[in-house]
Amino acid sequence: MNKKLKILIPVGLVLALLFPLLNLIMPPDNSGLLAKRGADLPHWDEAMAILNEKCVHCHAADANLPFYASLPVASTLMEIDITKGRAGMDLKKELYRDIEGAPFSEAALAKIEFILKEDTMPPMRYLAMHWNHGLSAQDKLTLSKWIAATRAARFQSPGVAKPFATHPLQPLRPLASFNADKVEVGEKLYHDVRLSGDNTVSCASCHDLARGGVDRLQFSKGIKGQVGGINAPTVYNSGTQFVQFWDGRAKDLKDQAGGPVENPIEMGAKWADVLPKLKADPELNAKLVQLYGEDYKAEHIQDAIAAFEATLVTPSRFDAFMRGDDKALSAEEKQGFEIFTDKGCARCHVGEALGGQSFEKMGLYKDYFAGRQVGEADLGRYNVTKDEHDKMRFKTPILRNIAVTQPYLHDGSTSDLREVVKIMSTHQLKAPLTEAEIDAVTAFLKSLTGTWRGAQLQ
């Protein structure tokens, strides 16, 4: 037995050194994995070279892996790394988005920046086999410059104070110019119960503008008292999101506006029946004809509603702070803002609405669904893509006005703002927040309650 050990130990050591050495000499080629959509931006080439060489193996589904990845032990270890890596960020799916003028994901940039700051990737176990995958000081500097340049070019809000110019959070952009006649008609349609099958439910029934743009129910009620299966998100600032609905099945506000009308549980109507009711209203019909012509269709009704919803922008004290008013936030709120940024909340809740820019796994570090029966609504993005990777992934909710948009989460499981901060801290952060940090973040979130048409949301 001792003789066998004397032979096996040196053989094992040789193999342990041989694999990483061969990988160093003959690394897999992933140079073309990330598409060249941002080549006009500073530091693009250098940044993509680093990500392709050192990150995509665990953060993409179809990367070329080292030659030994198919071996029994190595394959198991790499499968674990890839599953964990993609859960946190799938570079190929998340870095680029098919949105005009904004191919990069703000959330992906924030995640990469957080990793650089924390110096957590790649993990030491991975580096033991992949010696060339550690990020050098120059790599980190290059990626940091690329992130800052990309934010400045694509995501910086006008008027932001210099210290926050390339911050992952930004103040709300000023309301863009709009067609006032279309918005006026859209507002009427938004409150019109004739869009429902039995003339009892309007868009405002579930997205009440007097209640933070929600109905404050765990699950909304549709026609005939039917109850839905997922919590209604706020309509305020919803135009800032990259897609609509928790599962992202609608590409924009116009697309979203058509969904509830023909949903049998929500408004339970057919456009073929709705349009005649609207045409029978002389005043409304005249305005619709003026905007869209006599042969207006469902898509035009959706367009008008979307135009109105795009104006539901609610600036808050936080925006004043981000534009240079240091007195706009209290000391506790400023502390909460710093914790929110430094501890990793701003990896996903990014941009001007603090969310709505990515799909994220609910239960990244702790299983949120353990011990409960999982329903269709809990599957999230998977319901659209049927990709196993997308199970329990949801569009990150925006945090604007969160203090008045209870209950929270896709399942509406709590109406306590402090409790939802604690839940997210436990399940989404590697190092959960302390009780004092939870208090500070909760205070900060209350500063996001904004105003609409001159009145504070209640």
Side-chain angles (χ1 to χ4, degrees):
M1 190 67 177
N2 289 334
K3 290 182 179 180
K4 288 183 179 180
L5 284 175
K6 288 180 180 179
I7 296 173
L8 289 174
I9 289 174
V11 169
L13 289 173
V14 169
L15 290 175
L17 292 171
L18 181 61
F19 286 164
L21 278 171
L22 289 174
N23 185 52
L24 197 62
I25 298 169
M26 300 180 296
D29 182 13
N30 287 298
S31 57
L33 191 67
L34 299 179
K36 293 187 176 182
R37 293 196 202 169
D40 59 312
L41 294 169
H43 310 291
W44 186 90
D45 287 320
E46 305 99 305
M48 290 307 107
I50 295 168
L51 295 177
N52 277 321
E53 179 186 354
K54 301 186 176 184
C55 304
V56 295
H57 302 85
C58 295
H59 294 281
D62 54 354
N64 293 317
L65 300 177
F67 68 94
Y68 52 79
S70 60
L71 297 178
V73 176
S75 64
T76 300
L77 293 175
M78 292 206 70
E79 185 177 351
I80 293 172
D81 288 334
I82 292 170
T83 300
K84 288 183 177 180
R86 291 187 66 208
M89 176 174 57
D90 187 315
L91 272 170
K92 191 170 182 181
K93 293 182 73 170
E94 295 182 44
L95 185 58
Y96 299 105
R97 304 191 314 213
D98 292 322
I99 299 177
E100 184 178 353
F104 292 103
S105 160
E106 291 174 89
L109 295 178
K111 290 175 188 178
I112 295 170
E113 181 179 57
F114 186 76
I115 287 169
L116 296 177
K117 179 175 72 73
E118 294 293 298
D119 197 22
T120 55
M121 291 291 162
M124 290 304 297
R125 179 175 61 77
Y126 191 80
L127 283 175
M129 289 292 288
H130 307 84
W131 296 347
N132 61 333
H133 284 196
L135 294 175
S136 67
Q138 183 58 49
D139 290 339
K140 294 175 183 178
L141 180 61
T142 298
L143 290 171
S144 295
K145 287 182 177 179
W146 166 66
I147 290 168
T150 301
R151 283 180 177 154
R154 300 289 170 86
F155 301 121
Q156 188 179 106
S157 291
V160 64
K162 189 175 181 179
F164 306 122
T166 58
H167 197 277
L169 308 185
Q170 290 290 300
L172 284 167
R173 295 173 181 272
L175 190 61
S177 60
F178 56 86
N179 183 322
D181 293 332
K182 185 182 291 188
V183 169
E184 179 185 358
V185 171
E187 183 171 3
K188 291 181 183 297
L189 291 166
Y190 183 87
H191 292 90
D192 200 326
V193 295
R194 289 173 296 188
L195 269 64
S196 66
D198 60 1
N199 299 330
T200 62
V201 178
S202 70
C203 303
S205 298
C206 301
H207 303 282
D208 188 344
L209 300 183
R211 296 186 177 187
V214 298
D215 53 15
R216 295 183 182 165
L217 299 174
Q218 181 178 20
F219 303 124
S220 300
K221 292 182 179 179
I223 65 168
K224 302 176 183 179
Q226 297 180 94
V227 179
I230 199 163
N231 184 250
T234 180
V235 70
Y236 282 114
N237 307 297
S238 57
T240 65
Q241 301 179 112
F242 82 121
V243 289
Q244 303 295 322
F245 291 116
W246 285 97
D247 59 13
R249 65 184 181 274
K251 64 182 180 180
D252 53 29
L253 289 176
K254 180 180 176 181
D255 191 20
Q256 186 278 331
V261 172
E262 295 197 313
N263 185 304
I265 294 177
E266 297 181 41
M267 301 176 85
K270 298 291 183 184
W271 281 110
D273 299 323
V274 169
L275 289 170
K277 289 191 285 184
L278 301 181
K279 290 178 184 290
D281 182 328
E283 182 180 353
L284 179 60
N285 182 63
K287 290 181 178 180
L288 285 168
V289 168
Q290 182 180 7
L291 286 169
Y292 300 109
E294 292 196 18
D295 191 28
Y296 61 83
K297 299 177 175 61
E299 63 184 81
H300 299 121
I301 305 302
Q302 294 169 220
D303 180 66
I305 293 173
F308 167 63
E309 290 177 337
T311 67
L312 299 176
V313 176
T314 61
S316 70
R317 289 187 293 114
F318 174 66
D319 297 285
F321 173 73
M322 294 294 282
R323 289 194 165 94
D325 183 358
D326 190 61
K327 296 181 180 180
L329 298 186
S330 69
E332 185 181 26
E333 289 167 342
K334 291 177 187 175
Q335 181 187 24
F337 167 59
E338 292 176 1
I339 293 168
F340 186 92
T341 303
D342 294 342
K343 296 293 185 176
C345 307
R347 289 175 301 172
C348 307
H349 292 285
V350 299
E352 55 183 310
L354 286 78
Q357 303 304 319
S358 62
F359 297 108
E360 304 295 342
K361 181 179 176 61
M362 184 57 183
L364 187 60
Y365 291 102
K366 181 181 178 182
D367 188 355
Y368 179 76
F369 300 94
R372 60 184 275 182
Q373 185 174 356
V374 174
E376 182 181 359
D378 297 319
L379 298 177
R381 182 64 175 162
Y382 172 82
N383 290 326
V384 177
T385 66
K386 303 306 178 186
D387 182 347
E388 288 290 322
H389 167 72
D390 286 330
K391 282 186 175 178
M392 286 76 175
R393 295 178 73 86
F394 302 88
K395 175 175 58 65
T396 306
I398 58 180
L399 298 184
R400 293 277 178 175
N401 308 305
I402 188 172
V404 296
T405 60
Q406 67 275 13
Y408 306 115
L409 306 176
H410 78 283
D411 55 12
S413 56
T414 180
S415 291
D416 186 325
L417 180 57
R418 189 183 189 282
E419 178 62 20
V420 79
V421 173
K422 190 171 186 177
I423 290 171
M424 294 302 290
S425 163
T426 302
H427 292 82
Q428 302 303 108
L429 300 182
K430 189 172 185 179
L433 303 178
T434 66
E435 293 297 317
E437 288 173 333
I438 290 172
D439 287 337
V441 170
T442 303
F444 161 63
L445 293 177
K446 291 178 180 178
S447 77
L448 300 174
T449 303
T451 60
W452 184 60
R453 291 181 174 172
Q456 182 89 0
L457 298 190
Q458 301 292 330

